[in-house]
Amino acid sequence: MESTSGRVPAAPSKPETAVFVSGVASMGLEILAGRVVAPQFGSSIYTWGSIIGVFLAALSLGYHVGGKRAATEATNERLAVLLAGTAGYVAVLIFAGDLLLASAAAFPLPARYASLPAIVLLFGPPTYLLGFISPYGAELTRADGIGAASGHVYAVGTVGSLVGAFGTTYFLIPSLSVDLIGLAFGASLVVTAAWLLFPSPERRPAAAVAVVTLLLVAAVLAPAVGYSVRGEVVYQTQTPYQELEVIDSGDTRTLYLDGQRHSAMDKDAPTRHVFEYTRYFHVPMLVADDVDRVLFVGGGGFTGPKRFVEEYNATVDVAEIDPEVIDVAREYFRVPETDQLNVYNEGGRQYLQETEKTYDLIVLDAYKRDKVPFQLTTVEFMQLANDRLDEDGVLLANVISARNGPASKFYRAEYKTMERAFPQVYAFPTAGAASVQNIELMATKRDGQLTEAELRERNEERDVGLDLSDEIANFERSAETDGVPVLRDDRAPVDSLLEPMAGQRYVVEETGDGDDNESEALAPPPLRADAARGPAVAG
């Protein structure tokens, strides 16, 4: 008779299905972890290395402990409880992930290690539980022989991991929000757990599955019915470029991109500047003699373009790469339908390369704290922008960085890069000296730099719609650029320059509720003139 040793049944058993689903969930959560932690810590190689390391460590520990217990504890009911426990933790992440992330960010670690506590707290426990599934599945599999059983189970788990990796990357992330992707993984886990218990469920495992199912539904429905720790969720989606949310808090509507505040609108006064740094978009009006054509690279909530259309007799073009951002701005941020405003669904560099237009002002507002498209930072891009500016033209770049210290590297490198393409560069920090903040870099084609006194005189003489006295007080004539590179197309180490900002508090000051000219600092107080004149020195 032919030996059947090592033969594996063609149809998957329940434990093998559990192994497959655990592989899908573990790799899917690993890919999703990048989206969850990047808004706080960036998406550098250190963040991704930490994610991979934590997942491998948690899985290995689960394999080890699960392997020791499998011979005596492996049952379908135990598998169901492990899957339900993992899904329960996923429900916690959906509901309170932001709070857990913020609390973990308080650990005083060097920047490159700052994401480790958050990754361990958010993803260590569920990954550890998933590590039990494979050794339990190997113990329960119908394959003959230890080698055949373990090999078959780990092959099934690997196939599940491949499905989780490709499915999350190419289908789930482009189509769903982070919360809904978490729900998909949680639901797959509880459905598998329920199937493991069918048709004769024991009371305690069945109760665990039922409770976790309710937790998942409640965690996802809470924002859907208007609850969020940040306010009422008006709209949310996952675009190919980022996670996008529109959230109302009182009279303020805020656009969140990848979990960070990007734009805000006063619902009663849609063109009022809510964020202090957007007032600096008007400073170039004190430098250029005549501004008729303006380009914004990056749309967001269209704060600047809306105000410029209302305030000035100028044509305003906007180049925005994400079509969903354009649609959301039109639907939720009251972008006016007017011949003065033209919107182009293109990347900023691509648009400038293809257009034959020239501009009096280009506002570069496409940087995030943790994600900066390097192609918009280099000396080649700055030279391209210079070529698309009229002789009296001005470039204003909204840079997120610190004024000094290790977290100032990106600001100082961008300053140094802009100096290679423009005769004059001005810097306007918007918050306290030590904080990560918006720093407005203004570059002009003039041979001489205007003094603070000359800017104040022009502020009094010209009607630009705002009193910019406070903004002028923050003028810095120079920056210390030793020790940072000029960014070039063939070498723009933006990730390493952003790395020191990981985990640091990002301060965005807000204006008062009334007139734009009345500023209210919600973090450190505004810089005064005597504190703003000196150079930003790296510490």
Side-chain angles (χ1 to χ4, degrees):
M1 179 180 293
E2 183 179 358
S3 172
T4 60
S5 178
R7 181 172 56 84
V8 177
S13 65
K14 288 184 177 182
E16 290 163 356
T17 302
V19 170
F20 175 82
V21 172
S22 73
V24 173
S26 64
M27 186 55 71
L29 288 173
E30 185 170 347
I31 300 296
L32 191 64
R35 285 287 179 131
V36 173
V37 303
Q40 183 70 37
F41 301 102
S43 55
S44 71
I45 188 65
Y46 302 108
T47 300
W48 274 109
S50 298
I51 290 171
I52 294 169
V54 168
F55 271 77
L56 288 175
L59 281 174
S60 297
L61 185 59
Y63 292 153
H64 174 70
V65 178
K68 292 176 66 175
R69 297 180 180 178
T72 57
E73 297 185 3
T75 63
N76 282 357
E77 288 73 19
R78 290 288 176 86
L79 280 176
V81 171
L82 288 168
L83 293 175
T86 305
Y89 205 91
V90 171
V92 173
L93 295 181
I94 294 172
F95 185 75
D98 289 342
L99 295 177
L100 293 175
L101 190 65
S103 63
F107 283 84
L109 293 175
R112 64 178 57 184
Y113 308 113
S115 63
L116 269 172
I119 297 167
V120 170
L121 177 62
L122 271 66
F123 297 99
T127 308
Y128 168 72
L129 293 177
L130 290 175
F132 279 70
I133 304 300
S134 289
Y136 277 34
E139 183 70 25
L140 297 172
T141 185
R142 293 173 296 175
D144 298 326
I146 295 175
S150 59
H152 178 63
V153 164
Y154 285 105
V156 169
T158 301
V159 172
S161 295
L162 289 172
V163 172
F166 288 115
T168 304
T169 301
Y170 293 105
F171 298 102
L172 295 181
I173 285 180
S175 304
L176 302 174
S177 68
V178 169
D179 288 348
L180 289 180
I181 296 172
L183 175 63
F185 292 138
S188 67
L189 291 168
V190 294
V191 168
T192 305
W195 186 52
L196 286 167
L197 299 175
F198 183 82
S200 303
E202 294 184 3
R203 179 177 299 178
R204 288 186 178 181
V209 171
V211 168
V212 169
T213 301
L214 292 175
L215 286 176
L216 281 170
V217 173
V220 173
L221 286 183
V225 298
Y227 176 78
S228 166
V229 295
R230 296 171 296 188
E232 178 186 356
V233 180
V234 177
Y235 179 77
Q236 60 181 350
T237 188
Q238 193 80 28
T239 83
Y241 299 94
Q242 56 212 336
E243 182 185 21
L244 184 154
E245 297 173 289
V246 179
I247 294 179
D248 283 355
S249 179
D251 294 330
T252 301
R253 173 165 292 172
T254 303
L255 175 67
Y256 285 81
L257 299 179
D258 284 334
Q260 296 291 327
R261 295 192 299 173
H262 188 275
S263 302
M265 179 185 74
D266 184 333
K267 291 188 290 183
D268 295 328
T271 61
R272 183 178 76 81
H273 290 290
V274 175
F275 291 158
E276 178 72 26
Y277 77 86
T278 59
R279 291 169 49 86
Y280 289 79
F281 293 171
H282 300 264
V283 172
M285 310 300 281
L286 305 179
V287 179
D289 292 330
D290 190 19
V291 177
D292 296 321
R293 298 176 305 279
V294 180
L295 171 67
F296 281 82
V297 176
F302 281 60
T303 300
K306 287 190 301 184
R307 184 61 178 258
F308 272 58
V309 166
E310 177 185 75
E311 201 74 52
Y312 309 124
N313 183 24
T315 300
V316 179
D317 295 340
V318 179
E320 168 57 54
I321 195 171
D322 192 337
E324 187 69 23
V325 169
I326 297 172
D327 292 342
V328 165
R330 285 172 170 157
E331 183 169 356
Y332 296 102
F333 289 87
R334 303 188 195 177
V335 176
E337 294 289 340
T338 171
D339 293 339
Q340 271 187 266
L341 180 63
N342 307 298
V343 183
Y344 301 91
N345 182 204
E346 289 186 82
R349 185 160 178 169
Q350 178 188 5
Y351 174 81
L352 286 173
Q353 287 170 334
E354 296 175 352
T355 188
E356 296 181 357
K357 296 180 181 179
T358 58
Y359 293 93
D360 304 301
L361 170 62
I362 296 176
V363 179
L364 181 57
D365 190 24
Y367 300 161
K368 299 180 188 176
R369 185 186 68 172
D370 62 308
K371 291 181 182 179
V372 175
F374 85 91
Q375 69 272 17
L376 300 181
T377 69
T378 64
V379 68
E380 290 85 356
F381 173 77
M382 298 303 168
Q383 290 167 345
L384 173 63
N386 189 317
D387 292 340
R388 295 295 181 268
L389 286 169
D390 290 339
E391 287 304 313
D392 193 36
V394 179
L395 172 69
L396 184 77
N398 178 32
V399 173
I400 300 176
S401 185
R403 291 177 61 214
N404 48 41
S408 69
K409 288 182 179 180
F410 178 57
Y411 153 56
R412 294 186 295 115
E414 194 70 318
Y415 191 105
K416 188 173 186 177
T417 301
M418 293 175 73
E419 282 188 314
R420 295 294 190 274
F422 290 89
Q424 302 298 331
V425 179
Y426 303 69
F428 295 88
T430 64
S435 59
V436 174
Q437 61 190 274
N438 296 81
I439 301 177
E440 309 307 314
L441 291 180
M442 184 174 68
T444 71
K445 302 174 77 168
R446 292 172 174 268
D447 291 333
Q449 189 179 82
L450 294 172
T451 65
E452 181 178 328
E454 289 172 319
L455 288 173
R456 290 190 179 281
E457 182 178 351
R458 292 184 177 209
N459 182 52
E460 294 176 359
E461 293 174 349
R462 299 185 179 186
D463 181 14
V464 300
L466 295 172
D467 178 9
L468 298 173
S469 299
D470 288 343
E471 286 70 28
I472 294 171
N474 292 343
F475 170 41
E476 290 186 344
R477 298 187 60 86
S478 62
E480 175 57 60
T481 58
D482 291 342
V484 292
V486 173
L487 304 177
R488 303 184 184 279
D489 282 352
D490 61 352
R491 186 177 181 274
V494 173
D495 281 349
S496 63
L497 296 172
L498 296 175
E499 178 202 338
M501 292 192 287
Q504 292 201 23
R505 184 186 178 210
Y506 170 33
V507 174
V508 182
E509 293 186 350
E510 296 188 10
T511 61
D513 293 333
D515 191 277
D516 278 323
N517 295 327
E518 299 176 1
S519 295
E520 176 187 356
L522 300 186
L527 301 174
R528 301 314 323 152
D530 56 354
R533 294 193 183 100
V537 182

